[in-house]
Amino acid sequence: MPVRVMKLCGVTHLIASNAAGGINEEYNEGDIMIMKDHINFMGFAGNNPLVGFNDERWGPRFIPANKVYDKGLREEAKRIATKIGMSPIVREGVYVFLGGPSFETIAEINMFRICGANAVGMSTVGEALMAYHAGMKVFAFSLITNKCVQDYDDDREANHSEVLDVGAKRSGILKKWIGGIVEYIRQECHQNGY
Ligand SMILES: O=P(O)(O)O[C@H]1O[C@H](CO)[C@@H](O)[C@H]1O
């Protein structure tokens, strides 16, 4: 498990990123959504990375999951976004994790919107749970690469090349933002004697 290898190497914080479709109709392509929570839809079907024998050296058998995404890191990320002038594109919301690789149907998107999801994707939640279980602080965000189709009269179709294009367009500002967050984590680790 890569996250556990990181833990063995002394890593204390996980920063995870993903591309995601925007379910919240106020979200625009190119927005960045700080993950404040997730819906582990894969987990509903028993596909949770913590299933199976639990070696207590990694963490306890049963863990709470209401604080996976560290509040202090989220607040700091918002402060840094304001400082570098990117707060107009920064959101905070709930990510729903599906298995893919097919994109979602209109009925699925409508269901997830009603269930409180703001963005949808096919990654991140497994790594976040593993890291939190092992005592790491987790920060995760989604780059909204497309607005999900939620209407039968909308002729657009989700596609991977659009996802890659939006990712490339936002790479500059994301490097600056993540650089600021890493610097904050470096100082925090230094203060805590790591
Ligand atoms: O979550 P990441 O790996 O960023 O990628 C997202 O983009 C891909 C679909 O275009 C899917 O893999 C989805 O999860």
Side-chain angles (χ1 to χ4, degrees), residues 22-141:
I23 296 179
N24 184 321
E25 286 167 301
E26 290 178 6
Y27 287 10
N28 296 309
E29 193 186 288
D31 281 355
I32 286 145
M33 184 191 83
I34 294 171
M35 283 170 63
K36 78 168 175 205
D37 202 353
H38 67 231
I39 297 173
N40 182 8
F41 201 63
M42 297 295 288
F44 291 5
N47 195 347
N48 184 305
L50 299 170
V51 162
F53 171 74
N54 188 64
D55 183 334
E56 293 277 328
R57 286 174 296 180
W58 292 114
R61 164 77 294 176
F62 298 104
I63 54 158
N66 55 313
K67 290 187 186 172
V68 173
Y69 303 96
D70 188 79
K71 196 170 181 190
L73 288 176
R74 287 190 278 125
E75 293 307 317
E76 192 56 35
K78 283 184 260 180
R79 263 195 293 278
I80 295 167
T82 304
K83 204 164 115 192
I84 64 174
M86 65 180 274
S87 56
I89 60 163
V90 173
R91 319 284 194 153
E92 192 170 38
V94 177
Y95 174 93
V96 57
F97 170 43
L98 303 186
S102 53
F103 288 100
E104 301 71 39
T105 66
I106 292 171
E108 286 164 352
I109 293 297
N110 285 334
M111 180 185 86
F112 289 125
R113 192 186 58 252
I114 292 164
C115 292
N118 300 114
V120 57
M122 311 171 194
S123 70
T124 306
V125 168
E127 293 86 343
L129 284 171
M130 294 296 289
Y132 186 71
H133 179 248
M136 292 161 71
K137 280 194 183 180
V138 178
F139 175 74
F141 69 91

Side-chain angles (χ1 to χ4, degrees), residues 17-20 95 101 103 120-124 145 159-161 163-164:
S17 68
N18 57 65
Y95 174 93
F103 288 100
V120 57
M122 311 171 194
S123 70
T124 306
T145 54
N159 66 85
H160 188 58
S161 55
V163 171
L164 298 179

